[in-house]
Amino acid sequence: MALEGCLVLPLFLFFMSTLLYGMEVVRFQNNAFSSMHRAISKSCFLAYEKYGGSGEQEGDLCKMVRETLEQEPFPYLCVKGGEMGMTVQAEADAYENISVKIDYDIKPFIYFLPIGTLKIEDGIFGHGFTGYVPGNCGKPEGGTESYVYITENGTRYHLSDQCTYLRVKVQAVSAEETENMRNGSGEKYTACERCKPVKGGLVYLTAWGNRYHGESDCSALQRTVYMVPQSEAGSRSACSKCG
């Protein structure tokens, strides 16, 4: 038993140490990405103060990444070369497109074994909160233009995102009730061509629609709203309610 213990105990300790070391590698990867995320989030939030000053911002980003990592206990335990073994690169252009990249090598648990290292590369990208800058949105030089709200297949544009045509309220009624019901415009409700409701049971409709639906999540009941400059509304005409 003593002989077996002498053979098994070192193997058990080696296995547990290797397992814990693997957990440490994952922990460092998570901390490294978290430090990049914190740095770039803060930089994006404060970009309006440094708009156009990318050189200083790049240095601040690298410094923030390392400072966040250094707050952790034994932050570079598994990195070959320690703190100097991790490279941090940051870029920020005139439009405040900001990116941070790091790369480092993970050393093996028993560092003198000739099994090589594991190279890790990671990065994150963001854009500063400086407003809409690409192009001039089709507005005349020196002029101003209002924004409107549209849907992908709609034929009207809306001046308010709270318009009842955009914020539809779905109600459930029995199929028999639809025979005598009329919408806000006085039209009769007919069956939806998409979900093809069957007679009987509950159906779903809106106050201003002219179809009843067999499913509450029918695509005809959904509204994906886009805010665009009025010049990009195309051939859409103004909404009769909010326009």
Side-chain angles (χ1 to χ4, degrees):
M1 290 179 64
L3 179 61
E4 289 175 355
C6 292
L7 295 174
V8 173
L9 183 60
L11 293 176
F12 174 76
L13 293 176
F14 176 77
F15 171 77
M16 293 301 299
S17 300
T18 304
L19 181 64
L20 292 173
Y21 187 74
M23 295 172 63
E24 171 62 23
V25 171
V26 174
R27 185 183 75 91
F28 179 78
Q29 276 189 279
N30 181 69
N31 289 341
F33 185 84
S34 177
S35 65
M36 288 192 299
H37 184 269
R38 291 183 186 180
I40 205 167
S41 295
K42 183 177 180 180
S43 186
C44 287
F45 185 73
L46 299 177
Y48 70 94
E49 294 182 350
K50 301 179 179 180
Y51 189 63
S54 59
E56 179 184 355
Q57 190 170 351
E58 292 170 1
D60 291 345
L61 277 167
C62 296
K63 184 179 179 181
M64 281 190 286
V65 171
R66 293 190 180 277
E67 285 180 347
T68 305
L69 270 177
E70 288 170 0
Q71 295 174 6
E72 300 291 334
F74 308 105
Y76 302 99
L77 184 64
C78 58
V79 178
K80 182 181 179 181
E83 181 180 358
M84 302 305 296
M86 188 182 77
T87 304
V88 184
Q89 295 178 326
E91 295 181 1
D93 60 25
Y95 293 104
E96 294 303 329
N97 294 311
I98 307 167
S99 63
V100 182
K101 296 179 181 179
I102 60 174
D103 62 84
Y104 51 90
D105 292 330
I106 298 294
K107 61 186 179 182
F109 173 58
I110 302 179
Y111 64 91
F112 54 80
L113 290 179
I115 58 176
T117 58
L118 177 64
K119 188 171 184 61
I120 302 293
E121 295 180 355
D122 208 348
I124 192 170
F125 172 84
H127 184 275
F129 301 154
T130 54
Y132 185 80
V133 293
N136 61 0
C137 303
K139 63 185 179 182
E141 191 69 29
T144 59
E145 184 176 16
S146 60
Y147 282 80
V148 295
Y149 303 90
I150 62 173
T151 58
E152 187 173 359
N153 299 313
T155 58
R156 304 294 179 93
Y157 65 80
H158 308 265
L159 300 184
S160 171
D161 63 340
Q162 301 299 319
C163 179
T164 54
Y165 281 125
L166 298 178
R167 305 292 179 181
V168 294
K169 184 178 180 180
V170 180
Q171 57 179 324
V173 299
S174 64
E176 291 76 16
E177 291 182 65
T178 59
E179 295 293 332
N180 301 317
M181 293 182 67
R182 299 293 184 269
N183 66 8
S185 301
E187 297 179 79
K188 186 177 180 180
Y189 289 97
T190 57
C192 172
E193 299 85 354
R194 298 187 188 181
C195 61
K196 297 180 174 58
V198 296
K199 290 289 185 180
L202 287 177
V203 294
Y204 304 89
L205 49 81
T206 62
W208 292 93
N210 57 10
R211 298 286 191 274
Y212 62 84
H213 309 266
E215 301 173 358
S216 61
D217 58 350
C218 175
S219 58
L221 291 172
Q222 308 302 317
R223 295 289 187 274
T224 302
V225 182
Y226 303 93
M227 185 178 72
V228 299
Q230 188 169 352
S231 61
E232 295 182 15
S235 59
R236 295 176 175 86
S237 56
C239 170
S240 58
K241 281 185 170 293
C242 63

PDB file of all heavy atoms in Angstrom, residues 168 192-195 206 211 213 215-223:
ATOM      1  N   VAL A 168     -49.020  48.722 -32.875  1.00  0.00           N
ATOM      2  CA  VAL A 168     -50.306  48.041 -32.979  1.00  0.00           C
ATOM      3  C   VAL A 168     -50.626  47.322 -31.678  1.00  0.00           C
ATOM      4  O   VAL A 168     -49.761  46.727 -31.049  1.00  0.00           O
ATOM      5  CB  VAL A 168     -50.313  47.055 -34.155  1.00  0.00           C
ATOM      6  CG1 VAL A 168     -50.208  47.789 -35.464  1.00  0.00           C
ATOM      7  CG2 VAL A 168     -49.183  46.044 -34.034  1.00  0.00           C
ATOM      8  N   CYS A 192     -56.395  36.265 -42.717  1.00  0.00           N
ATOM      9  CA  CYS A 192     -55.022  36.590 -43.118  1.00  0.00           C
ATOM     10  C   CYS A 192     -54.510  35.548 -44.115  1.00  0.00           C
ATOM     11  O   CYS A 192     -54.689  34.344 -43.920  1.00  0.00           O
ATOM     12  CB  CYS A 192     -54.119  36.622 -41.883  1.00  0.00           C
ATOM     13  SG  CYS A 192     -52.364  36.782 -42.254  1.00  0.00           S
ATOM     14  N   GLU A 193     -53.847  36.020 -45.190  1.00  0.00           N
ATOM     15  CA  GLU A 193     -53.321  35.105 -46.201  1.00  0.00           C
ATOM     16  C   GLU A 193     -52.047  34.411 -45.752  1.00  0.00           C
ATOM     17  O   GLU A 193     -51.648  33.393 -46.336  1.00  0.00           O
ATOM     18  CB  GLU A 193     -53.040  35.858 -47.509  1.00  0.00           C
ATOM     19  CG  GLU A 193     -54.261  36.504 -48.149  1.00  0.00           C
ATOM     20  CD  GLU A 193     -54.569  37.878 -47.597  1.00  0.00           C
ATOM     21  OE1 GLU A 193     -53.882  38.288 -46.621  1.00  0.00           O
ATOM     22  OE2 GLU A 193     -55.497  38.543 -48.103  1.00  0.00           O
ATOM     23  N   ARG A 194     -51.394  34.936 -44.725  1.00  0.00           N
ATOM     24  CA  ARG A 194     -50.119  34.360 -44.284  1.00  0.00           C
ATOM     25  C   ARG A 194     -50.320  33.182 -43.328  1.00  0.00           C
ATOM     26  O   ARG A 194     -49.780  32.109 -43.545  1.00  0.00           O
ATOM     27  CB  ARG A 194     -49.255  35.439 -43.612  1.00  0.00           C
ATOM     28  CG  ARG A 194     -48.885  36.588 -44.539  1.00  0.00           C
ATOM     29  CD  ARG A 194     -47.898  37.527 -43.871  1.00  0.00           C
ATOM     30  NE  ARG A 194     -47.691  38.730 -44.667  1.00  0.00           N
ATOM     31  CZ  ARG A 194     -46.863  39.715 -44.329  1.00  0.00           C
ATOM     32  NH1 ARG A 194     -46.152  39.636 -43.202  1.00  0.00           N
ATOM     33  NH2 ARG A 194     -46.733  40.776 -45.092  1.00  0.00           N
ATOM     34  N   CYS A 195     -51.067  33.406 -42.246  1.00  0.00           N
ATOM     35  CA  CYS A 195     -51.222  32.343 -41.255  1.00  0.00           C
ATOM     36  C   CYS A 195     -52.458  31.475 -41.494  1.00  0.00           C
ATOM     37  O   CYS A 195     -52.616  30.443 -40.849  1.00  0.00           O
ATOM     38  CB  CYS A 195     -51.238  32.920 -39.841  1.00  0.00           C
ATOM     39  SG  CYS A 195     -52.584  34.087 -39.524  1.00  0.00           S
ATOM     40  N   THR A 206     -56.293  43.730 -34.984  1.00  0.00           N
ATOM     41  CA  THR A 206     -55.963  45.066 -34.494  1.00  0.00           C
ATOM     42  C   THR A 206     -57.089  46.023 -34.858  1.00  0.00           C
ATOM     43  O   THR A 206     -57.910  45.740 -35.743  1.00  0.00           O
ATOM     44  CB  THR A 206     -54.640  45.571 -35.104  1.00  0.00           C
ATOM     45  OG1 THR A 206     -54.787  45.665 -36.528  1.00  0.00           O
ATOM     46  CG2 THR A 206     -53.505  44.616 -34.783  1.00  0.00           C
ATOM     47  N   ARG A 211     -57.513  42.383 -41.319  1.00  0.00           N
ATOM     48  CA  ARG A 211     -57.362  40.937 -41.339  1.00  0.00           C
ATOM     49  C   ARG A 211     -57.442  40.401 -39.909  1.00  0.00           C
ATOM     50  O   ARG A 211     -57.071  41.082 -38.951  1.00  0.00           O
ATOM     51  CB  ARG A 211     -55.997  40.531 -41.928  1.00  0.00           C
ATOM     52  CG  ARG A 211     -55.776  40.963 -43.381  1.00  0.00           C
ATOM     53  CD  ARG A 211     -56.591  40.118 -44.344  1.00  0.00           C
ATOM     54  NE  ARG A 211     -56.199  40.349 -45.721  1.00  0.00           N
ATOM     55  CZ  ARG A 211     -56.688  41.327 -46.487  1.00  0.00           C
ATOM     56  NH1 ARG A 211     -57.588  42.178 -45.983  1.00  0.00           N
ATOM     57  NH2 ARG A 211     -56.293  41.466 -47.739  1.00  0.00           N
ATOM     58  N   HIS A 213     -56.175  36.969 -37.587  1.00  0.00           N
ATOM     59  CA  HIS A 213     -55.048  36.046 -37.654  1.00  0.00           C
ATOM     60  C   HIS A 213     -55.257  34.875 -36.703  1.00  0.00           C
ATOM     61  O   HIS A 213     -55.830  35.037 -35.610  1.00  0.00           O
ATOM     62  CB  HIS A 213     -53.746  36.773 -37.299  1.00  0.00           C
ATOM     63  CG  HIS A 213     -53.562  38.039 -38.074  1.00  0.00           C
ATOM     64  ND1 HIS A 213     -52.845  38.109 -39.242  1.00  0.00           N
ATOM     65  CD2 HIS A 213     -54.026  39.303 -37.833  1.00  0.00           C
ATOM     66  CE1 HIS A 213     -52.871  39.352 -39.702  1.00  0.00           C
ATOM     67  NE2 HIS A 213     -53.574  40.097 -38.853  1.00  0.00           N
ATOM     68  N   GLU A 215     -52.728  33.197 -35.405  1.00  0.00           N
ATOM     69  CA  GLU A 215     -51.580  33.117 -34.499  1.00  0.00           C
ATOM     70  C   GLU A 215     -51.247  34.513 -34.000  1.00  0.00           C
ATOM     71  O   GLU A 215     -51.210  35.475 -34.787  1.00  0.00           O
ATOM     72  CB  GLU A 215     -50.364  32.508 -35.199  1.00  0.00           C
ATOM     73  CG  GLU A 215     -50.608  31.105 -35.737  1.00  0.00           C
ATOM     74  CD  GLU A 215     -49.440  30.608 -36.562  1.00  0.00           C
ATOM     75  OE1 GLU A 215     -48.474  31.381 -36.735  1.00  0.00           O
ATOM     76  OE2 GLU A 215     -49.491  29.469 -37.036  1.00  0.00           O
ATOM     77  N   SER A 216     -50.959  34.616 -32.716  1.00  0.00           N
ATOM     78  CA  SER A 216     -50.645  35.934 -32.145  1.00  0.00           C
ATOM     79  C   SER A 216     -49.294  36.465 -32.611  1.00  0.00           C
ATOM     80  O   SER A 216     -49.042  37.661 -32.550  1.00  0.00           O
ATOM     81  CB  SER A 216     -50.672  35.860 -30.615  1.00  0.00           C
ATOM     82  OG  SER A 216     -49.697  34.934 -30.142  1.00  0.00           O
ATOM     83  N   ASP A 217     -48.412  35.554 -33.058  1.00  0.00           N
ATOM     84  CA  ASP A 217     -47.101  35.995 -33.529  1.00  0.00           C
ATOM     85  C   ASP A 217     -47.003  35.953 -35.057  1.00  0.00           C
ATOM     86  O   ASP A 217     -45.919  35.815 -35.611  1.00  0.00           O
ATOM     87  CB  ASP A 217     -45.995  35.126 -32.916  1.00  0.00           C
ATOM     88  CG  ASP A 217     -46.176  33.651 -33.239  1.00  0.00           C
ATOM     89  OD1 ASP A 217     -47.243  33.283 -33.770  1.00  0.00           O
ATOM     90  OD2 ASP A 217     -45.247  32.860 -32.962  1.00  0.00           O
ATOM     91  N   CYS A 218     -48.128  36.063 -35.736  1.00  0.00           N
ATOM     92  CA  CYS A 218     -48.126  36.114 -37.204  1.00  0.00           C
ATOM     93  C   CYS A 218     -47.248  37.269 -37.663  1.00  0.00           C
ATOM     94  O   CYS A 218     -47.260  38.359 -37.072  1.00  0.00           O
ATOM     95  CB  CYS A 218     -49.554  36.281 -37.721  1.00  0.00           C
ATOM     96  SG  CYS A 218     -49.659  36.487 -39.513  1.00  0.00           S
ATOM     97  N   SER A 219     -46.482  37.049 -38.724  1.00  0.00           N
ATOM     98  CA  SER A 219     -45.550  38.083 -39.191  1.00  0.00           C
ATOM     99  C   SER A 219     -46.273  39.352 -39.638  1.00  0.00           C
ATOM    100  O   SER A 219     -45.693  40.440 -39.628  1.00  0.00           O
ATOM    101  CB  SER A 219     -44.713  37.533 -40.352  1.00  0.00           C
ATOM    102  OG  SER A 219     -45.542  37.099 -41.410  1.00  0.00           O
ATOM    103  N   ALA A 220     -47.553  39.223 -40.029  1.00  0.00           N
ATOM    104  CA  ALA A 220     -48.312  40.406 -40.441  1.00  0.00           C
ATOM    105  C   ALA A 220     -48.632  41.315 -39.263  1.00  0.00           C
ATOM    106  O   ALA A 220     -48.967  42.485 -39.454  1.00  0.00           O
ATOM    107  CB  ALA A 220     -49.601  39.976 -41.137  1.00  0.00           C
ATOM    108  N   LEU A 221     -48.541  40.790 -38.036  1.00  0.00           N
ATOM    109  CA  LEU A 221     -48.804  41.598 -36.847  1.00  0.00           C
ATOM    110  C   LEU A 221     -47.543  42.265 -36.313  1.00  0.00           C
ATOM    111  O   LEU A 221     -47.617  43.117 -35.436  1.00  0.00           O
ATOM    112  CB  LEU A 221     -49.413  40.724 -35.742  1.00  0.00           C
ATOM    113  CG  LEU A 221     -50.831  40.214 -35.991  1.00  0.00           C
ATOM    114  CD1 LEU A 221     -51.225  39.217 -34.909  1.00  0.00           C
ATOM    115  CD2 LEU A 221     -51.825  41.368 -36.034  1.00  0.00           C
ATOM    116  N   GLN A 222     -46.386  41.839 -36.810  1.00  0.00           N
ATOM    117  CA  GLN A 222     -45.127  42.372 -36.315  1.00  0.00           C
ATOM    118  C   GLN A 222     -44.771  43.663 -37.053  1.00  0.00           C
ATOM    119  O   GLN A 222     -45.085  43.825 -38.234  1.00  0.00           O
ATOM    120  CB  GLN A 222     -43.992  41.356 -36.484  1.00  0.00           C
ATOM    121  CG  GLN A 222     -44.311  39.986 -35.919  1.00  0.00           C
ATOM    122  CD  GLN A 222     -44.644  40.033 -34.439  1.00  0.00           C
ATOM    123  OE1 GLN A 222     -43.976  40.717 -33.677  1.00  0.00           O
ATOM    124  NE2 GLN A 222     -45.671  39.307 -34.038  1.00  0.00           N
ATOM    125  N   ARG A 223     -44.092  44.575 -36.373  1.00  0.00           N
ATOM    126  CA  ARG A 223     -43.652  45.834 -36.974  1.00  0.00           C
ATOM    127  C   ARG A 223     -42.173  46.043 -36.659  1.00  0.00           C
ATOM    128  O   ARG A 223     -41.798  46.193 -35.495  1.00  0.00           O
ATOM    129  CB  ARG A 223     -44.451  47.021 -36.431  1.00  0.00           C
ATOM    130  CG  ARG A 223     -45.924  47.006 -36.776  1.00  0.00           C
ATOM    131  CD  ARG A 223     -46.165  47.291 -38.254  1.00  0.00           C
ATOM    132  NE  ARG A 223     -47.583  47.438 -38.529  1.00  0.00           N
ATOM    133  CZ  ARG A 223     -48.399  46.422 -38.788  1.00  0.00           C
ATOM    134  NH1 ARG A 223     -47.918  45.189 -38.804  1.00  0.00           N
ATOM    135  NH2 ARG A 223     -49.676  46.636 -39.033  1.00  0.00           N
TER     136      ARG A 223
END
